[in-house]
Amino acid sequence: MKFGGTSVGSAQRIKNLVPLINNGERKIVVLSAMSGTTNLLVDISASLYTKDFMKLKLQISNLDLQYKKVIAELFSKKDSIENASELLTEHLNFIKSFTLDLFTVNEEKAILAQGELISTALLHLYLTEQNISSVLLPALDFMRIDETEEPEVPFIKKMISKTLEQFSAENLFITQGYICRNLFGEIDNLKRGGSDYTATLIGAAVKATEIQIWTDIDGLHNNDPRIIEKTFAVTELSFDEAAELAYFGAKILHPTCVLPAKKENIPVRLLNTMQPTATGTIISNKPAPDRITAIAAKDNLSAIKIKSARMLLAYGFLRAVFEVFERYKTPIDMISTSEVAVSLTIDSDKHLEEIISELQQFGLVEVDKNQTIICIVGTFGADKQGYASRIFDSLKNIPIRMISYGGSENNISLLVNSDLKKAALVSLNKGLF
Ligand code: ADP
Ligand code: ASP
Ligand code: MG
C-alpha cells in the first residue's frame, strides 16, 4: 500500500491511515513525504546552492514549525513526543550541516530524502504509541539504481526477501517511497512522484497479491481533473493503457510505475484515502473493452524537425538521426516522418544545443519549444474504425503540429503548442466523452 503526500499530509491524515493498514493482513506500507515537504526541500536546496543563508533560515524554521504542529497533534504520550521531537531536530540539523560544505547535486539528493525519512518515522512512532507492532524498513538498504538510473530489480528482490524472512512474525512493514541509493552508494531518488514506482517495484519484488496506490482522488480519471470539470474515474484499465497514460502525463501515476506490476502481472488498485470505500481504478492484464478510455497531456516538450533531400529513397538516415539522440542519452517521445523530413519530440533540453548542431550535418533543423503531447488512450487496433474522425472532428479548431497513430494499439498522440493545451483538452472532452 502506497500513500501519497496528501494522504499523510497532516496529523489527522496519518491517524486515518491506521484502520486502513492495520487489518491483520501482512503488508508493506510505502509513504511519500508529507505534502509540500519535498517542494520545500527543493527550495532549501536552491538556497544552499546560492548560499542565501537568510532565506535558508526562514525556510528551515518553516519546516520546523510545520512538523512541531504535526508532532503536537499526533502524539499524546510524553515519550513519543520526546522521541519525535528528537527525530525532527536530527533531520533539521542534518539539513543545516550543508551550510558548511560544498553543495552539489549529491548533497541536494540527500536533502530531498529527508521528507520520506521523517514521514515514515512519524508513522512508525505513532503505531508504537498505539501499541501496534510494525517494522520500519530503511529503503536506502534495499532500493538501488544502476548506472543508467534504472532500478536493480534482482538486488531489490534479494534484499527485501531477506528482511521479510528476518521478521517472519511481523505483519506490518513501513518504508520510504522515492528514495534509493545509486551505483556509488550515494543517496539518490526515483524522480519526483517516485513513491508510486517504489511501491510497484516492491510489490513486484515480493510478488504481492495486489499493489494499492492511495491518493487524493478516487482513481484514474478520463481527463486531467486539474483542467477539466466533471471528469470521472475509469474503473478498469489494462496495464498497457495505464502505462501510456502515466507516461504521457496522468500525474496520478509516476511515468514508469506500471511496468514492474505488468511484468509480474500484479493488479494495481488506485484508491482514495479521503473516500476509502470508493471503487477507484483497477489496473490489470484484463483486455480493455472497445472504447476511448482517457486523455492525458505531457508538457515541456521540444519538437525537432530535420528536413533533408538526402532522406529521399535513402536507407540508414533514421539510424544516423537516432544515434545522435542515443549519444546524448535523450529519449524520443513521439515521431512522425515523411519522405523528406522527420519530426520528433524530446522532453529534456539538457543537450539540445549539441543535438541540434550534430543534426545539422543531415539537413535543415528547426526546433519548436513549448510543445505539449495530447495523448488519447483507448483501443485503437488496426481493425478499428471511426476513432480518428471523432478525434479530429473534436479538434477542428486547434492547430496540430504532429500526429502519431498506429505506434501502439492504445495510443493516439498529437502535438500542440502548450498555449493550446487547455483548449485541446476541453474540445476533446466535449467531443469524446
Ligand atoms: P500523491 O501525492 O498521492 O502521489 P499526486 O498529486 O501525485 O498524488 O497525484 C494525484 C493527482 O493527480 C490528483 O489529485 C489529480 O489532480 C492529478 N491527476 C492528473 N491527471 C489525473 C487523472 N487522469 N486522474 C486522476 N488524477 C489525475
Ligand atoms: N515526495 C516525492 C515528491 O514529492 C515523491 C512522491 O511524492 O512520490 O515528488
Ligand atoms: Mg504522486
Side-chain angles (χ1 to χ4, degrees), residues 355-416:
I355 289 172
I356 294 171
S357 100
E358 286 207 30
L359 290 175
Q360 275 161 344
Q361 63 179 303
F362 305 118
L364 196 66
V365 179
E366 286 169 25
V367 178
D368 293 314
K369 292 197 178 178
N370 201 27
Q371 302 290 304
T372 293
I373 288 183
I374 307 281
C375 164
I376 301 127
V377 163
T379 40
F380 308 126
D383 56 330
K384 302 290 162 56
Q385 63 189 56
Y387 287 127
S389 79
R390 280 175 64 195
I391 290 169
F392 294 114
D393 199 38
S394 314
L395 290 173
K396 59 177 177 275
N397 297 317
I398 310 277
I400 298 169
R401 166 76 170 77
M402 277 168 73
I403 298 169
S404 166
Y405 188 135
S408 112
E409 291 201 344
N410 295 113
N411 173 338
I412 297 173
S413 292
L414 310 155
L415 192 73
V416 299

Side-chain angles (χ1 to χ4, degrees), residues 2 193 196 251-252:
K2 175 261 175 176
D196 301 332
K251 192 199 169 211
I252 185 168

Side-chain angles (χ1 to χ4, degrees), residues 112-338:
L112 295 185
Q114 301 309 304
E116 272 72 10
L117 291 169
I118 299 175
S119 65
T120 47
L122 289 178
L123 175 65
H124 180 60
L125 275 175
Y126 181 66
L127 290 170
T128 309
E129 190 186 81
Q130 301 296 306
N131 292 318
I132 299 168
S133 175
S134 68
V135 182
L136 187 57
L137 302 179
L140 297 178
D141 289 354
F142 63 82
M143 265 297 155
R144 199 164 76 182
I145 51 173
D146 62 18
E147 67 278 12
T148 62
E149 301 193 339
E150 290 297 323
E152 276 190 55
V153 172
F155 177 84
I156 297 169
K157 223 177 202 162
K158 189 181 84 191
M159 296 305 281
I160 294 195
S161 308
K162 220 165 81 183
T163 315
L164 292 183
E165 265 168 39
Q166 193 186 334
F167 294 103
S168 58
E170 294 286 343
N171 261 344
L172 189 52
F173 298 86
I174 297 157
T175 193
Q176 300 84 24
Y178 177 58
I179 66 175
C180 62
R181 286 194 191 275
N182 61 24
L183 185 66
F184 309 104
E186 297 153 340
I187 297 181
D188 212 311
N189 60 61
L190 302 174
K191 310 268 158 62
R192 294 303 303 269
S195 298
D196 301 332
Y197 202 17
T198 304
T200 57
L201 285 165
I202 293 179
V206 302
K207 295 208 190 312
T209 46
E210 183 169 293
I211 297 163
Q212 298 183 344
I213 303 213
W214 291 78
T215 181
D216 57 3
I217 187 163
D218 61 338
L220 191 137
H221 279 217
N222 66 315
N223 206 331
D224 193 327
R226 295 165 298 179
I227 296 173
I228 302 292
E229 282 171 38
K230 294 202 187 108
T231 55
F232 55 86
V234 181
T235 49
E236 289 184 30
L237 282 173
S238 68
F239 284 123
D240 292 337
E241 287 182 311
E244 302 262 22
L245 287 163
Y247 186 74
F248 286 109
K251 192 199 169 211
I252 185 168
L253 290 171
H254 175 277
T256 52
C257 81
V258 179
L259 304 179
K262 182 186 169 186
K263 214 164 170 188
E264 296 293 338
N265 191 19
I266 299 172
V268 180
R269 206 178 282 277
L270 310 180
L271 293 157
N272 187 352
T273 350
M274 295 359 132
Q275 216 185 315
T277 53
T279 317
T281 299
I282 180 93
I283 304 167
S284 72
N285 67 355
K286 195 174 147 193
D290 202 353
R291 62 174 179 188
I292 292 182
T293 311
I295 305 169
K298 183 174 175 181
D299 296 321
N300 297 321
L301 295 151
S302 296
I304 304 173
K305 185 196 280 173
I306 307 119
K307 204 173 167 189
S308 166
R310 275 170 55 194
M311 200 174 156
L312 199 66
L313 298 174
Y315 50 84
F317 180 83
L318 284 178
R319 178 186 49 75
V321 167
F322 289 154
E323 274 175 358
V324 174
F325 292 88
E326 191 184 343
R327 272 198 291 285
Y328 291 100
K329 294 194 167 76
T330 301
I332 296 166
D333 280 322
M334 188 175 166
I335 166 157
S336 74
T337 67
S338 81

